[in-house]
């Protein structure tokens, strides 16, 4: 790396002013292909989240499990995912993003196979942990890979596209749950997970390594070769290599945890990443993803069929509203979309809470309750769903990216676990109205959080964000 430091000074100077040829360069098809294939990891993520709500009643029936064991079958996946995300930083730094995605697809395949063949609830818990490990690694690696491969002009769009795959995965799982519920086969519900796992494995074999990871391992020539495939002109490649080399050669030489201990600026971006993911989880979205049928019941909808179809409706709205983010994230920017999303979520939760205070006594009130739930899902899908992953992948400096992203991804899964565990407890202890009221207030707090701490990262290179962070600029200004 040291050898490159001198040689890169010319390139580093080029990084000062960005030529128009770079700013407006064409996006080559290989970028879309690589991003599309890596985004398949999102499908796996979503299907893993969606499968359990449909499979659980049949599992409980077959094995006569206790409530405690039931809880474990659900939450062991989140525990596995937190562990997977914890280890993913080291794996993806040592072996690269591409191999990390390959390992994750293999784990996913094996986890699904063990679930299909499970002869006891304990084996099922093992299968869920394996699936969790796979998802933990995938949910860490995919946004990271996308952020490192996509030109900055479409970076937000590609990571939002990844979130679209998450939502399609959830919807696909809801629909396959519904289909297999007719033959009462929870094993098939898990069996279908092997399809996206195989698709991801084959897809990832075709994508190039991340140029930024290659450079961080001193493999500059290979990084340049990859950029040759991913960028349309030599000017663009020279410019980007210049930026990458400059950030690698910056005064900061330590990496990961060492860098976290030594560098207060890096500590700030790690803390911001953790807060961002906790914010995403405490919007309350997963309370709806996991407990939609029960919430619809509280709002006055009786009957399993109505509840299951309403659940599919939430999955569909989740997919459709993600397109709003895809369309606007690189045009309007991250912050305006987050303000809009948190406002929609706060308002819809307040409406739902009020309906539960009055009691869903009339059809109008019942449908208003249902509409507010769907509007809430839309608010999340157009904002915090995709944008938190985008921001987390953007704010970390190159030498600490794996560590920082690992911490925020673990926070995502810990928050996810907490919501899954505590939401039903809160409903039982303080009631639906109060619980949704608290979620509404939290979303208002997140508007203030966005205002005070979140940077606008639209259209700015990862290397510029890093420079701003390291020069001590306030977090909310590191994107300008
Ligand atoms: C979140 C998941 C959530 C999903 C819903 C993701 O961005 O991290 O926890 O279940 O969105 O679409």
């Amino acid at each position: 790396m040291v050898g490159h430091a001198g040689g890169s000074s010319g390139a580093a100077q080029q990084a000062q002013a960005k030529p128009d040829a770079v700013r407006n360069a064409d996006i080559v098809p290989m970028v879309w292909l690589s991003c599309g294939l890596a985004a398949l990891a999102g499908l796996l993520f979503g299907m893993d989240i969606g499968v359990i709500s449909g499979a659980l009643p049949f599992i409980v029936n077959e094995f006569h499990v206790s409530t405690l064991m039931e809880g474990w079958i659900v939450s062991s996946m989140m525990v596995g995912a937190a562990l997977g995300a914890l280890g993913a930083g080291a794996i993806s730094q040592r072996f690269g993003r591409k191999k990390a995605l390959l390992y994750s697809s293999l784990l996913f395949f094996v986890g699904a196979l063990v679930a299909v063949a499970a002869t006891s609830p304990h084996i099922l818990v093992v299968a869920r942990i394996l699936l969790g490990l796979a998802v933990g690694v995938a949910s860490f690696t995919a946004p990271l890979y996308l952020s490192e491969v996509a030109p900055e002009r479409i970076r937000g769009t590609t990571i939002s596209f990844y979130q679209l795959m998450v939502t399609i995965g959830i919807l696909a799982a809801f629909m396959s749950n519904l289909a297999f519920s007719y033959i009462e086969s929870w094993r098939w519900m898990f069996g279908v997970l092997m399809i996206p796992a195989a698709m991801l494995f084959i897809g990832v074999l075709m994508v190039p390594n991340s140029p930024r990871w290659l450079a961080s391992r001193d493999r500059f020539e290979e990084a340049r070769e990859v950029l040759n495939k991913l960028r349309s002109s030599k000017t663009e490649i020279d410019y980007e290599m210049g930026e990458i080399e400059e950030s690698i050669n910056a005064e900061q030489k330590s990496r990961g945890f060492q860098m976290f201990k030594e560098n207060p600026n890096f500590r700030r971006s790690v803390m911001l990443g953790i807060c961002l993911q906790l914010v995403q989880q405490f919007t309350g979205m997963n309370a709806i993803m996991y407990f939609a049928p029960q919430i619809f019941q509280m709002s006055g909808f009786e009957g399993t069929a109505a509840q299951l179809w309403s659940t599919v409706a939430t999955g569909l709205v989740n997919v459709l509203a993600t397109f709003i983010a895809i369309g606007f994230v690189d045009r309007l920017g991250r912050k305006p979309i987050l303000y809009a999303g948190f406002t929609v979520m706060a308002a819809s939760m307040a409406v739902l809470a009020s309906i539960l205070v009055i009691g869903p006594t009339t059809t109008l009130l019942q449908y208003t309750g249902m509409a507010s739930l769907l509007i809430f899902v839309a608010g999340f899908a157009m904002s915090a769903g995709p944008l938190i992953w985008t921001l987390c992948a953007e704010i970390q400096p190159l030498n600490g990216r794996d560590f920082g992203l690992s911490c925020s991804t673990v926070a995502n899964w810990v928050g996810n676990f907490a919501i899954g565990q505590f939401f039903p407890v809160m409903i039982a202890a303080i009631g639906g109205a109060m619980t949704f009221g608290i979620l509404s207030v939290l979303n208002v707090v997140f508007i203030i959080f966005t205002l005070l701490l979140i940077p606008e990262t639209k259209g700015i290179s990862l290397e510029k964000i890093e420079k701003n962070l390291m020069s001590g600029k306030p977090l909310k200004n590191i994107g300008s």
Side-chain angles (χ1 to χ4, degrees):
M1 196 181 303
V2 176
H4 283 271
S8 70
S9 60
Q13 272 160 15
Q14 288 174 25
Q16 298 306 315
K18 185 181 298 183
D20 280 350
V22 174
R23 204 168 307 138
N24 306 320
D26 291 338
I27 308 290
V28 301
M30 188 63 183
V31 168
W32 294 118
L33 185 72
S34 305
C35 293
L37 291 173
L40 278 178
L43 201 69
L44 211 128
F45 178 163
M47 289 189 81
D48 230 0
I49 287 197
V51 67
I52 198 63
S53 64
L56 196 62
F58 299 105
I59 295 171
V60 171
N61 235 348
E62 182 169 331
F63 293 124
H64 305 291
V65 295
S66 64
T67 320
L68 187 70
M69 188 46 128
E70 208 182 312
W72 270 111
I73 293 174
V74 176
S75 55
S76 48
M77 193 275 270
M78 283 77 131
V79 175
L83 292 175
L86 201 65
I91 297 175
S92 98
Q93 202 202 321
R94 175 119 197 251
F95 302 106
R97 291 50 167 135
K98 184 173 159 151
K99 284 209 178 126
L101 283 173
L102 278 178
Y103 297 153
S104 137
S105 64
L106 285 175
L107 265 175
F108 199 71
F109 195 89
V110 175
L113 203 62
V114 175
V116 170
T119 48
S120 74
H122 299 92
I123 299 183
L124 211 49
V125 169
V126 172
R128 292 279 290 162
I129 292 180
L130 287 173
L131 287 171
L133 286 171
V135 167
V137 176
S139 60
F140 163 89
T141 315
L144 175 65
Y145 178 82
L146 296 174
S147 75
E148 291 185 341
V149 162
E152 67 216 33
R153 176 152 86 78
I154 57 158
R155 201 173 55 221
T157 309
T158 55
I159 306 182
S160 302
F161 179 67
Y162 157 77
Q163 170 72 15
L164 179 72
M165 299 298 270
V166 174
T167 60
I168 293 178
I170 296 178
L171 179 64
F174 283 170
M175 287 169 61
S176 103
N177 290 348
L178 192 65
F180 291 120
S181 70
Y182 291 108
I183 54 166
E184 306 199 353
S185 174
W186 60 267
R187 291 182 197 275
W188 271 107
M189 296 179 192
F190 280 104
V192 292
L193 299 183
M194 285 190 260
I195 302 171
M199 276 161 56
L200 181 67
F201 185 83
I202 297 168
V204 170
L205 286 177
M206 294 187 244
V207 306
N209 263 313
S210 150
R212 285 175 170 78
W213 174 74
L214 286 168
S216 77
R217 306 294 290 179
D218 266 354
R219 292 159 64 178
F220 288 91
E221 277 319 308
E222 285 169 75
R224 184 172 275 279
E225 274 162 31
V226 169
L227 279 180
N228 261 326
K229 295 188 201 149
L230 295 171
R231 301 292 179 263
S232 59
S233 69
K234 183 161 179 315
T235 327
E236 215 189 339
I237 297 167
D238 285 345
Y239 183 83
E240 199 160 331
M241 278 308 290
E243 281 201 316
I244 295 173
E245 289 179 21
E246 195 182 2
S247 90
I248 287 175
N249 294 321
E251 47 316 340
Q252 182 57 54
K253 286 288 171 222
S254 56
R255 288 167 184 273
F257 185 56
Q258 191 59 28
M259 182 171 172
F260 181 78
K261 281 197 293 184
E262 287 170 6
N263 191 316
N265 284 321
F266 179 45
R267 285 204 286 278
R268 293 189 305 146
S269 65
V270 173
M271 292 319 293
L272 179 61
I274 292 175
C275 290
L276 282 168
Q277 286 291 8
L278 291 177
V279 162
Q280 193 208 48
Q281 289 303 312
F282 288 104
T283 55
M285 173 63 169
N286 280 327
I288 292 167
M289 291 292 102
Y290 301 141
F291 304 103
Q294 289 92 315
I295 302 177
F296 282 117
Q297 191 181 22
M298 275 196 276
S299 320
F301 288 89
E302 296 299 332
T304 326
Q307 288 159 18
L308 269 178
W309 279 105
S310 319
T311 307
V312 172
T314 55
L316 192 62
V317 169
N318 194 18
V319 174
L320 295 179
T322 307
F323 283 102
I324 304 179
I326 294 185
F328 291 111
V329 63
D330 285 320
R331 274 191 257 168
L332 294 183
R334 289 42 169 163
K335 289 181 76 158
I337 302 184
L338 281 176
Y339 287 132
F342 289 132
T343 308
V344 169
M345 287 188 270
S348 51
M349 278 289 136
V351 172
L352 188 60
S354 319
I355 290 176
L356 294 183
V357 170
I358 312 167
T361 42
T362 65
T363 318
L364 179 67
L365 283 174
Q366 284 174 10
Y367 279 100
T368 314
M370 180 185 206
S372 50
L373 213 61
L374 295 179
I375 292 172
F376 173 88
V377 171
F380 177 90
M382 63 175 264
S383 66
L387 293 197
I388 296 294
W389 290 104
T390 308
L391 283 160
C392 284
E394 291 176 331
I395 56 173
Q396 305 300 350
L398 183 57
N399 282 346
R401 194 161 294 154
D402 304 75
F403 178 82
L405 205 54
S406 199
C407 292
S408 56
T409 311
V410 172
N412 173 279
W413 288 106
V414 171
N416 194 325
F417 176 78
I419 286 282
Q421 292 293 307
F422 296 124
F423 180 76
V425 178
M426 276 176 76
I427 294 274
I430 56 175
M434 190 67 136
T435 308
F436 294 121
I438 293 176
L439 288 176
S440 171
V441 173
L442 279 175
N443 279 289
V444 173
V445 173
F446 300 155
I447 297 177
I448 304 168
F449 176 80
T450 308
L451 183 73
L452 298 180
L453 285 167
I454 299 188
E456 179 52 79
T457 51
K458 179 189 95 173
I460 172 168
S461 72
L462 297 179
E463 289 71 27
K464 183 85 202 300
I465 299 173
E466 170 166 353
K467 256 196 213 160
N468 288 339
L469 173 77
M470 290 307 175
S471 70
K473 273 196 177 182
L475 283 173
K476 74 168 180 167
N477 296 336
I478 61 174
S480 50

